[in-house]
Protein backbone atom coordinates (compact mmCIF):
# COMPACT_ATOMS: atom_id res chain seq x y z
CA UNK A 1 0.00 0.00 0.00
CA UNK A 2 1.35 3.39 -0.97
CA UNK A 3 1.88 5.97 1.71
CA UNK A 4 -1.15 8.26 1.89
CA UNK A 5 -0.30 11.73 0.57
CA UNK A 6 -2.29 14.92 0.44
CA UNK A 7 -3.36 15.98 -3.03
CA UNK A 8 -4.75 19.33 -4.06
CA UNK A 9 -7.08 19.35 -7.04
CA UNK A 10 -8.97 22.18 -8.78
CA UNK A 11 -12.51 22.78 -7.54
CA UNK A 12 -14.87 20.98 -9.97
CA UNK A 13 -17.20 23.12 -12.04
CA UNK A 14 -20.58 22.10 -13.45
CA UNK A 15 -21.10 22.75 -17.19
CA UNK A 16 -24.72 23.03 -18.34
CA UNK A 17 -24.62 24.93 -21.65
CA UNK A 18 -23.21 24.33 -25.12
CA UNK A 19 -21.39 27.67 -25.11
CA UNK A 20 -19.62 26.89 -21.83
CA UNK A 21 -18.77 23.41 -23.09
CA UNK A 22 -17.25 24.69 -26.33
CA UNK A 23 -15.08 27.22 -24.47
CA UNK A 24 -13.99 24.56 -21.99
CA UNK A 25 -13.06 22.14 -24.76
CA UNK A 26 -10.79 24.73 -26.37
CA UNK A 27 -8.89 25.15 -23.09
CA UNK A 28 -8.54 21.39 -22.69
CA UNK A 29 -7.00 21.14 -26.14
CA UNK A 30 -3.91 22.88 -24.74
CA UNK A 31 -3.36 19.95 -22.35
CA UNK A 32 -0.97 17.05 -22.89
CA UNK A 33 -3.57 14.67 -21.50
CA UNK A 34 -7.02 14.79 -19.92
CA UNK A 35 -8.72 12.19 -17.77
CA UNK A 36 -12.28 11.18 -18.68
CA UNK A 37 -15.09 9.27 -17.00
CA UNK A 38 -18.86 8.97 -17.35
CA UNK A 39 -21.89 8.35 -15.17
CA UNK A 40 -24.80 6.72 -16.95
CA UNK A 41 -27.99 4.72 -16.51
CA UNK A 42 -28.87 1.56 -18.39
CA UNK A 43 -31.46 -0.36 -16.39
CA UNK A 44 -34.35 0.59 -18.68
CA UNK A 45 -32.64 1.15 -22.03
CA UNK A 46 -30.65 -0.76 -24.64
CA UNK A 47 -28.20 2.09 -25.17
CA UNK A 48 -26.51 3.53 -22.07
CA UNK A 49 -28.02 6.92 -21.22
CA UNK A 50 -25.21 9.38 -20.52
CA UNK A 51 -26.02 11.54 -17.49
CA UNK A 52 -22.71 13.14 -16.52
CA UNK A 53 -19.30 13.36 -18.17
CA UNK A 54 -16.24 14.27 -16.13
CA UNK A 55 -13.02 15.67 -17.58
CA UNK A 56 -9.96 16.80 -15.66
CA UNK A 57 -6.97 18.74 -16.90
CA UNK A 58 -4.02 20.12 -14.98
CA UNK A 59 -5.84 23.28 -13.87
CA UNK A 60 -9.51 22.57 -14.48
CA UNK A 61 -12.03 19.88 -13.57
CA UNK A 62 -15.45 19.98 -15.20
CA UNK A 63 -18.60 17.93 -14.71
CA UNK A 64 -20.66 18.14 -17.90
CA UNK A 65 -24.39 17.74 -17.31
CA UNK A 66 -25.37 15.63 -20.31
CA UNK A 67 -29.11 15.90 -19.58
CA UNK A 68 -29.18 19.68 -19.15
CA UNK A 69 -31.86 21.18 -21.46
CA UNK A 70 -29.49 23.73 -23.01
CA UNK A 71 -26.54 21.51 -23.88
CA UNK A 72 -25.35 19.86 -27.09
CA UNK A 73 -22.34 17.58 -26.63
CA UNK A 74 -21.06 18.00 -30.19
CA UNK A 75 -18.19 20.35 -29.18
CA UNK A 76 -16.61 17.37 -27.38
CA UNK A 77 -15.67 15.85 -30.73
CA UNK A 78 -13.01 18.54 -31.23
CA UNK A 79 -11.26 17.34 -28.07
CA UNK A 80 -11.86 13.64 -28.72
CA UNK A 81 -10.43 13.97 -32.26
CA UNK A 82 -7.39 16.00 -31.17
CA UNK A 83 -4.40 13.70 -31.65
CA UNK A 84 -2.18 15.89 -29.46
CA UNK A 85 -4.23 15.25 -26.31
CA UNK A 86 -4.23 11.77 -24.77
CA UNK A 87 -7.63 10.75 -23.39
CA UNK A 88 -7.07 8.71 -20.22
CA UNK A 89 -9.84 6.43 -18.88
CA UNK A 90 -10.06 3.50 -16.48
CA UNK A 91 -11.82 0.28 -17.56
CA UNK A 92 -12.89 2.18 -20.63
CA UNK A 93 -15.14 -0.24 -22.49
CA UNK A 94 -18.53 1.07 -21.32
CA UNK A 95 -17.42 4.68 -21.66
CA UNK A 96 -16.26 3.98 -25.20
CA UNK A 97 -19.55 2.29 -26.01
CA UNK A 98 -21.30 5.53 -25.02
CA UNK A 99 -19.02 7.67 -27.17
CA UNK A 100 -19.39 5.30 -30.11
CA UNK A 101 -23.17 5.56 -29.89
CA UNK A 102 -23.16 9.35 -29.50
CA UNK A 103 -20.48 10.30 -32.01
CA UNK A 104 -19.99 7.17 -34.16
CA UNK A 105 -16.26 7.24 -33.38
CA UNK A 106 -13.91 6.89 -30.44
CA UNK A 107 -11.67 9.40 -28.67
CA UNK A 108 -8.11 9.22 -29.99
CA UNK A 109 -5.49 8.62 -28.74
CA UNK A 110 -6.64 6.47 -25.81
CA UNK A 111 -4.98 5.18 -22.66
CA UNK A 112 -6.74 2.73 -20.34
CA UNK A 113 -5.16 2.69 -16.88
CA UNK A 114 -6.73 -0.69 -16.08
CA UNK A 115 -4.86 -2.27 -18.98
CA UNK A 116 -1.66 -0.47 -17.99
CA UNK A 117 -2.08 -1.63 -14.39
CA UNK A 118 -2.32 -5.25 -15.58
CA UNK A 119 1.00 -4.81 -17.37
CA UNK A 120 2.48 -3.11 -14.33
CA UNK A 121 1.69 -5.95 -11.93
CA UNK A 122 -1.45 -4.74 -10.17
CA UNK A 123 -3.38 -7.93 -10.98
CA UNK A 124 -6.26 -8.87 -13.25
CA UNK A 125 -8.74 -6.06 -13.98
CA UNK A 126 -7.98 -4.03 -10.87
CA UNK A 127 -10.78 -1.66 -9.87
CA UNK A 128 -10.31 2.10 -9.84
CA UNK A 129 -10.61 2.54 -6.08
CA UNK A 130 -8.12 -0.26 -5.39
CA UNK A 131 -5.67 1.13 -7.93
CA UNK A 132 -5.93 4.63 -6.48
CA UNK A 133 -5.30 3.18 -3.03
CA UNK A 134 -2.28 1.19 -4.21
CA UNK A 135 -0.72 4.14 -6.05
CA UNK A 136 -1.61 7.08 -3.80
CA UNK A 137 -2.76 5.62 -0.48
CA UNK A 138 -5.96 7.63 -0.81
CA UNK A 139 -9.37 6.11 -0.15
CA UNK A 140 -12.12 6.68 -2.73
CA UNK A 141 -15.67 7.00 -1.43
CA UNK A 142 -17.77 4.60 -3.53
CA UNK A 143 -21.07 5.17 -1.68
CA UNK A 144 -22.62 6.77 -4.79
CA UNK A 145 -21.69 3.91 -7.13
CA UNK A 146 -25.37 2.96 -7.59
CA UNK A 147 -26.93 6.40 -7.35
CA UNK A 148 -29.56 7.64 -9.80
CA UNK A 149 -27.46 9.89 -12.01
CA UNK A 150 -30.46 10.97 -14.07
CA UNK A 151 -32.15 12.74 -11.13
CA UNK A 152 -31.65 16.49 -10.81
CA UNK A 153 -30.34 18.43 -9.04
CA UNK A 154 -27.16 16.50 -8.30
CA UNK A 155 -26.06 16.76 -4.68
CA UNK A 156 -22.64 18.12 -3.62
CA UNK A 157 -21.72 14.60 -2.50
CA UNK A 158 -22.55 13.18 -5.94
CA UNK A 159 -20.49 15.88 -7.64
CA UNK A 160 -17.54 15.25 -5.33
CA UNK A 161 -17.76 11.52 -6.01
CA UNK A 162 -17.84 12.10 -9.79
CA UNK A 163 -14.88 14.48 -9.67
CA UNK A 164 -12.74 11.98 -7.73
CA UNK A 165 -13.03 9.56 -10.64
CA UNK A 166 -10.96 11.87 -12.84
CA UNK A 167 -8.79 13.83 -10.42
CA UNK A 168 -6.95 10.90 -8.81
CA UNK A 169 -6.81 9.29 -12.25
CA UNK A 170 -4.30 11.94 -13.28
CA UNK A 171 -1.98 10.88 -10.46
CA UNK A 172 -2.44 7.20 -11.31
CA UNK A 173 -1.73 7.80 -15.01
CA UNK A 174 1.50 9.68 -14.40
CA UNK A 175 2.65 7.09 -11.86
CA UNK A 176 1.97 4.23 -14.26
CA UNK A 177 3.82 6.00 -17.08
CA UNK A 178 6.90 6.39 -14.88
CA UNK A 179 6.78 2.75 -13.81
CA UNK A 180 6.26 1.43 -17.34
CA UNK A 181 9.10 3.57 -18.66
CA UNK A 182 11.37 2.46 -15.82
CA UNK A 183 10.61 -1.21 -16.48
CA UNK A 184 10.76 -0.93 -20.27
CA UNK A 185 7.12 -1.91 -20.72
CA UNK A 186 5.69 1.19 -22.36
CA UNK A 187 5.62 -0.59 -25.74
CA UNK A 188 3.63 -3.46 -24.20
CA UNK A 189 0.87 -1.09 -23.22
CA UNK A 190 0.92 0.74 -26.55
CA UNK A 191 0.11 -2.52 -28.35
CA UNK A 192 -2.83 -3.19 -26.03
CA UNK A 193 -4.18 0.36 -26.32
CA UNK A 194 -4.21 0.09 -30.12
CA UNK A 195 -6.56 -2.91 -29.88
CA UNK A 196 -8.79 -1.03 -27.43
CA UNK A 197 -9.19 1.83 -29.90
CA UNK A 198 -10.62 -0.41 -32.64
CA UNK A 199 -14.25 0.73 -33.12
CA UNK A 200 -15.25 -2.61 -34.66
CA UNK A 201 -14.86 -4.24 -31.24
CA UNK A 202 -17.73 -2.10 -29.95
CA UNK A 203 -20.14 -2.56 -32.83
CA UNK A 204 -22.84 -5.15 -32.12
CA UNK A 205 -23.46 -7.60 -34.94
CA UNK A 206 -27.05 -8.87 -34.54
CA UNK A 207 -26.26 -11.91 -36.69
CA UNK A 208 -23.75 -13.17 -34.11
CA UNK A 209 -25.86 -12.74 -30.98
CA UNK A 210 -27.10 -16.35 -31.10
CA UNK A 211 -23.56 -17.56 -30.37
CA UNK A 212 -23.76 -16.03 -26.87
CA UNK A 213 -26.83 -18.09 -25.95
CA UNK A 214 -24.93 -21.40 -25.80
CA UNK A 215 -27.72 -23.59 -27.11
CA UNK A 216 -27.28 -27.20 -26.01
CA UNK A 217 -27.96 -28.70 -29.39
CA UNK A 218 -26.10 -29.51 -32.59
CA UNK A 219 -29.30 -29.45 -34.66
CA UNK A 220 -28.45 -27.01 -37.43
CA UNK A 221 -32.10 -26.22 -38.16
CA UNK A 222 -32.71 -25.24 -34.54
CA UNK A 223 -29.54 -23.16 -34.58
CA UNK A 224 -30.63 -21.49 -37.81
CA UNK A 225 -33.91 -20.42 -36.20
CA UNK A 226 -32.05 -19.27 -33.09
CA UNK A 227 -29.68 -17.17 -35.19
CA UNK A 228 -32.59 -15.49 -36.96
CA UNK A 229 -34.71 -14.75 -33.90
CA UNK A 230 -31.74 -13.56 -31.83
CA UNK A 231 -30.84 -11.10 -34.61
CA UNK A 232 -34.50 -9.98 -34.79
CA UNK A 233 -34.58 -9.39 -31.02
CA UNK A 234 -31.35 -7.39 -31.14
CA UNK A 235 -32.62 -5.06 -33.84
CA UNK A 236 -35.99 -4.64 -32.15
CA UNK A 237 -34.34 -3.83 -28.82
CA UNK A 238 -32.04 -1.31 -30.48
CA UNK A 239 -34.88 0.40 -32.33
CA UNK A 240 -37.09 0.55 -29.24
CA UNK A 241 -34.10 1.36 -26.98
CA UNK A 242 -35.05 -1.23 -24.38
CA UNK A 243 -32.90 -4.01 -22.86
CA UNK A 244 -32.89 -7.14 -25.01
CA UNK A 245 -34.00 -9.26 -22.03
CA UNK A 246 -37.01 -7.01 -21.58
CA UNK A 247 -37.93 -7.52 -25.21
CA UNK A 248 -37.70 -11.31 -24.89
CA UNK A 249 -35.70 -13.40 -22.42
CA UNK A 250 -32.94 -15.76 -23.51
CA UNK A 251 -34.86 -18.76 -22.19
CA UNK A 252 -37.83 -17.86 -24.38
CA UNK A 253 -35.62 -17.53 -27.45
CA UNK A 254 -34.13 -20.96 -26.86
CA UNK A 255 -37.59 -22.53 -26.49
CA UNK A 256 -38.89 -20.80 -29.61
CA UNK A 257 -35.90 -22.07 -31.60
CA UNK A 258 -36.49 -25.62 -30.33
CA UNK A 259 -40.26 -25.71 -30.89
CA UNK A 260 -40.55 -23.47 -33.99
CA UNK A 261 -44.09 -22.17 -33.21
CA UNK A 262 -46.18 -21.84 -36.34
CA UNK A 263 -49.07 -19.70 -35.07
CA UNK A 264 -50.13 -17.28 -32.36
CA UNK A 265 -51.41 -19.98 -30.01
CA UNK A 266 -48.14 -21.92 -30.23
CA UNK A 267 -46.12 -18.78 -29.54
CA UNK A 268 -48.30 -17.84 -26.54
CA UNK A 269 -47.53 -21.24 -24.98
CA UNK A 270 -43.81 -20.44 -24.80
CA UNK A 271 -42.70 -19.64 -21.26
CA UNK A 272 -42.17 -15.91 -20.88
CA UNK A 273 -44.29 -14.95 -23.90
CA UNK A 274 -47.59 -13.27 -23.09
CA UNK A 275 -50.76 -13.63 -25.14
CA UNK A 276 -50.65 -9.89 -25.80
CA UNK A 277 -47.10 -10.12 -27.19
CA UNK A 278 -47.97 -13.12 -29.35
CA UNK A 279 -51.01 -11.37 -30.84
CA UNK A 280 -49.31 -8.01 -31.34
CA UNK A 281 -47.05 -6.67 -34.08
CA UNK A 282 -43.85 -7.98 -32.53
CA UNK A 283 -45.27 -11.48 -32.05
CA UNK A 284 -46.47 -11.70 -35.63
CA UNK A 285 -43.12 -10.46 -36.96
CA UNK A 286 -41.37 -13.05 -34.81
CA UNK A 287 -43.55 -15.84 -36.24
CA UNK A 288 -42.59 -14.69 -39.74
CA UNK A 289 -38.91 -14.81 -38.81
CA UNK A 290 -39.33 -18.35 -37.46
CA UNK A 291 -41.15 -19.40 -40.63
CA UNK A 292 -38.49 -17.97 -42.93
CA UNK A 293 -35.63 -19.54 -40.93
CA UNK A 294 -37.44 -22.90 -40.98
CA UNK A 295 -37.34 -22.83 -44.79
CA UNK A 296 -33.65 -22.00 -45.19
CA UNK A 297 -31.73 -24.47 -47.38
CA UNK A 298 -29.27 -26.65 -45.48
CA UNK A 299 -26.30 -24.86 -47.05
CA UNK A 300 -27.32 -21.60 -45.33
CA UNK A 301 -27.67 -23.04 -41.83
CA UNK A 302 -24.96 -22.46 -39.19
CA UNK A 303 -22.00 -24.79 -39.27
CA UNK A 304 -21.60 -26.78 -36.06
CA UNK A 305 -18.13 -27.33 -34.62
CA UNK A 306 -18.12 -30.95 -33.57
CA UNK A 307 -16.15 -32.07 -30.52
CA UNK A 308 -15.75 -35.06 -28.28
CA UNK A 309 -15.66 -38.76 -29.20
CA UNK A 310 -16.12 -39.45 -32.87
CA UNK A 311 -15.36 -35.87 -33.78
CA UNK A 312 -13.17 -34.99 -36.75
CA UNK A 313 -12.21 -31.72 -35.05
CA UNK A 314 -8.95 -31.99 -33.10
CA UNK A 315 -9.04 -31.21 -29.41
CA UNK A 316 -6.05 -30.19 -27.32
CA UNK A 317 -4.74 -32.51 -24.65
CA UNK A 318 -6.35 -31.44 -21.34
CA UNK A 319 -3.14 -32.42 -19.54
CA UNK A 320 -1.00 -30.24 -21.81
CA UNK A 321 -3.39 -27.31 -21.44
CA UNK A 322 -3.22 -27.76 -17.65
CA UNK A 323 0.59 -27.64 -17.80
CA UNK A 324 0.47 -24.51 -19.94
CA UNK A 325 -1.80 -22.85 -17.36
CA UNK A 326 0.69 -23.68 -14.61
CA UNK A 327 3.54 -22.33 -16.72
CA UNK A 328 1.53 -19.18 -17.47
CA UNK A 329 0.95 -18.57 -13.76
CA UNK A 330 4.66 -19.11 -13.06
CA UNK A 331 5.87 -16.80 -15.83
CA UNK A 332 3.39 -14.07 -14.95
CA UNK A 333 4.41 -14.21 -11.30
CA UNK A 334 8.05 -13.99 -12.39
CA UNK A 335 7.41 -10.98 -14.64
CA UNK A 336 4.75 -9.43 -12.39
CA UNK A 337 2.10 -9.16 -15.08
CA UNK A 338 -1.56 -10.23 -15.05
CA UNK A 339 -2.09 -13.72 -16.59
CA UNK A 340 -5.42 -12.69 -18.13
CA UNK A 341 -3.63 -10.08 -20.20
CA UNK A 342 -1.06 -12.53 -21.52
CA UNK A 343 -3.24 -15.46 -22.62
CA UNK A 344 -6.88 -16.51 -22.52
CA UNK A 345 -8.10 -20.10 -22.20
CA UNK A 346 -8.82 -20.05 -25.94
CA UNK A 347 -5.24 -18.90 -26.61
CA UNK A 348 -3.86 -21.80 -24.59
CA UNK A 349 -6.12 -24.34 -26.32
CA UNK A 350 -5.01 -23.09 -29.74
CA UNK A 351 -1.35 -23.09 -28.70
CA UNK A 352 -1.56 -26.67 -27.40
CA UNK A 353 -2.96 -27.77 -30.77
CA UNK A 354 -0.64 -25.73 -32.98
CA UNK A 355 1.97 -23.26 -31.71
CA UNK A 356 1.49 -20.84 -34.60
CA UNK A 357 4.66 -18.71 -34.96
CA UNK A 358 2.49 -15.78 -36.11
CA UNK A 359 -0.02 -16.18 -33.27
CA UNK A 360 -0.37 -13.78 -30.34
CA UNK A 361 1.71 -15.89 -27.92
CA UNK A 362 4.74 -16.07 -30.20
CA UNK A 363 4.85 -12.44 -31.29
CA UNK A 364 5.59 -9.18 -29.49
CA UNK A 365 6.10 -8.94 -25.76
CA UNK A 366 4.02 -12.05 -25.03
CA UNK A 367 6.69 -14.21 -26.66
CA UNK A 368 9.30 -12.92 -24.20
CA UNK A 369 7.05 -13.30 -21.17
CA UNK A 370 5.47 -16.66 -21.98
CA UNK A 371 5.68 -17.87 -25.59
CA UNK A 372 9.31 -19.01 -25.65
CA UNK A 373 8.93 -21.13 -22.52
CA UNK A 374 5.55 -22.46 -23.66
CA UNK A 375 7.07 -23.54 -26.97
CA UNK A 376 9.92 -25.27 -25.17
CA UNK A 377 7.41 -27.11 -22.98
CA UNK A 378 5.36 -28.29 -25.98
CA UNK A 379 8.50 -29.46 -27.80
CA UNK A 380 9.77 -31.45 -24.82
CA UNK A 381 12.71 -29.18 -24.09
CA UNK A 382 11.30 -28.01 -20.76
CA UNK A 383 9.56 -29.70 -17.85
CA UNK A 384 8.09 -28.49 -14.57
CA UNK A 385 9.31 -29.54 -11.18
CA UNK A 386 9.09 -28.56 -7.54
CA UNK A 387 11.96 -27.61 -5.27
CA UNK A 388 11.67 -26.34 -1.69
CA UNK A 389 7.94 -25.88 -2.10
CA UNK A 390 8.26 -23.76 -5.22
CA UNK A 391 7.79 -24.48 -8.91
CA UNK A 392 10.94 -24.59 -11.01
CA UNK A 393 11.60 -25.00 -14.72
CA UNK A 394 13.88 -27.85 -15.74
CA UNK A 395 15.68 -27.60 -19.08
CA UNK A 396 16.27 -30.73 -21.14
CA UNK A 397 20.03 -30.43 -20.70
CA UNK A 398 19.56 -30.41 -16.91
CA UNK A 399 17.66 -33.69 -16.86
CA UNK A 400 19.56 -36.84 -16.03
Amino acid sequence: MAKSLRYSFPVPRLVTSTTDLAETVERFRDETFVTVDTEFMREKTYWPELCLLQIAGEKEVVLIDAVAPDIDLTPLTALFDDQSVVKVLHAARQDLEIFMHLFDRLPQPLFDTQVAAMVAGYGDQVGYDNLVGAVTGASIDKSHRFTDWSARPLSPAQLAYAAADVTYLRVVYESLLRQLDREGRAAWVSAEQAALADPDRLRVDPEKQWEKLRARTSNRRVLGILRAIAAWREREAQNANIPRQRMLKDESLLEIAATAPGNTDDLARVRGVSRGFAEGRAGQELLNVVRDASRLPDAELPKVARSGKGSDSPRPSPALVALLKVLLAYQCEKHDVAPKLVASSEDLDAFALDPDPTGPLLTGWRRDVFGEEALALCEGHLSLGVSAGRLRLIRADEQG
Side-chain angles (χ1 to χ4, degrees):
M1 174 66 73
K3 181 179 179 182
S4 182
L5 302 172
R6 288 185 175 274
Y7 294 93
S8 177
F9 300 116
V11 175
R13 182 172 60 82
L14 191 63
V15 172
T16 59
S17 73
T18 306
T19 300
D20 191 358
L21 176 60
E23 294 171 353
T24 302
V25 162
E26 287 307 305
R27 291 193 295 274
F28 276 138
R29 293 184 66 186
D30 292 331
E31 300 272 359
T32 304
F33 74 94
V34 294
T35 50
V36 181
D37 190 39
T38 65
E39 307 297 345
F40 59 91
M41 303 293 291
R42 198 174 193 169
E43 287 78 2
K44 299 178 181 179
T45 60
Y46 180 94
W47 305 106
E49 299 291 317
L50 180 62
C51 299
L52 193 71
L53 191 148
Q54 308 97 281
I55 304 179
E58 183 179 4
K59 300 177 180 178
E60 188 171 7
V61 178
V62 297
L63 311 176
I64 302 164
D65 187 351
V67 299
D70 297 322
I71 199 163
D72 176 358
L73 298 179
T74 302
L76 281 169
T77 58
L79 175 62
F80 285 177
D81 292 344
D82 194 328
Q83 295 293 311
S84 68
V85 185
V86 178
K87 274 64 73 171
V88 180
L89 303 95
H90 183 84
R93 182 174 178 84
Q94 287 190 303
D95 302 312
L96 297 182
E97 185 179 350
I98 291 171
F99 300 143
M100 192 70 195
H101 178 58
L102 287 176
F103 307 123
D104 197 33
R105 58 188 186 273
L106 298 178
Q108 300 284 357
L110 283 170
F111 189 98
D112 190 327
T113 53
Q114 186 178 70
V115 173
M118 293 169 76
V119 171
Y122 288 93
D124 284 333
Q125 297 180 318
V126 61
Y128 177 69
D129 47 343
N130 289 332
L131 183 58
V132 168
V135 172
T136 72
S139 178
I140 300 294
D141 177 14
K142 304 302 288 185
S143 59
H144 290 281
R145 186 192 301 265
F146 301 110
T147 194
D148 182 357
W149 290 102
S150 65
R152 293 295 182 272
L154 294 169
S155 70
Q158 286 177 301
L159 297 175
Y161 166 92
D165 280 347
V166 287
T167 50
Y168 282 102
L169 190 56
R170 293 185 62 84
V171 182
V172 167
Y173 171 67
E174 293 180 315
S175 175
L176 286 173
L177 284 188
R178 290 192 296 269
Q179 179 180 343
L180 294 168
D181 185 61
R182 186 170 61 248
E183 297 174 353
R185 299 188 178 187
W188 298 15
V189 176
S190 295
E192 301 308 306
Q193 306 292 1
L196 178 73
D198 180 2
D200 288 338
R201 298 179 65 176
L202 294 169
R203 292 191 173 101
V204 177
D205 184 352
E207 298 298 328
K208 293 184 178 180
Q209 291 307 299
W210 71 278
E211 297 173 356
K212 300 179 180 180
L213 298 177
R214 302 184 182 278
R216 297 180 179 179
T217 180
S218 59
N219 185 306
R220 294 178 63 208
R221 181 65 55 189
V222 171
L223 295 178
I225 296 173
L226 182 63
R227 178 180 63 187
I229 62 178
W232 172 86
R233 181 184 68 170
E234 201 70 20
R235 295 188 180 96
E236 285 288 302
Q238 290 177 352
N239 291 335
N241 195 22
I242 61 174
R244 61 176 69 88
Q245 293 285 348
R246 186 167 295 185
M247 169 67 64
L248 205 60
K249 292 189 178 300
D250 291 349
E251 295 80 3
S252 300
L253 282 185
L254 291 167
E255 186 176 344
I256 291 168
T259 59
N263 55 54
T264 300
D265 289 339
D266 291 342
L267 182 58
R269 292 190 191 101
V270 173
R271 180 180 298 182
V273 177
S274 68
R275 168 63 64 173
F277 178 92
E279 293 178 345
R281 177 200 61 82
Q284 296 305 301
E285 285 188 5
L286 181 56
L287 286 171
N288 290 335
V289 172
V290 172
R291 182 199 63 224
D292 292 344
S294 299
R295 297 173 178 173
L296 284 174
D298 288 349
E300 296 181 20
L301 296 174
K303 298 292 189 295
V304 179
R306 297 177 61 195
S307 62
K309 287 186 177 180
S311 170
D312 295 330
S313 301
R315 300 287 296 169
S317 162
L320 177 55
V321 173
L323 284 177
L324 286 170
K325 289 180 179 179
V326 173
L327 179 63
L328 176 65
Y330 175 86
Q331 288 296 109
C332 289
E333 181 180 345
K334 174 183 175 181
H335 290 276
D336 199 18
V337 61
K340 188 174 292 186
L341 188 67
V342 178
S344 66
S345 296
E346 292 76 14
D347 291 333
L348 296 180
D349 285 349
F351 193 90
L353 278 173
D354 178 22
D356 181 1
T358 64
L361 301 186
L362 288 177
T363 54
W365 63 271
R366 287 179 174 83
R367 183 181 184 108
D368 297 331
V369 171
F370 175 66
E372 287 282 3
E373 303 290 27
L375 190 61
L377 179 68
C378 291
E379 293 178 344
H381 303 311
L382 180 72
S383 60
L384 307 179
V386 177
S387 176
R390 296 185 65 83
L391 190 73
R392 63 181 290 256
L393 307 185
I394 305 171
R395 310 290 169 183
D397 56 8
E398 299 175 13
Q399 301 175 28

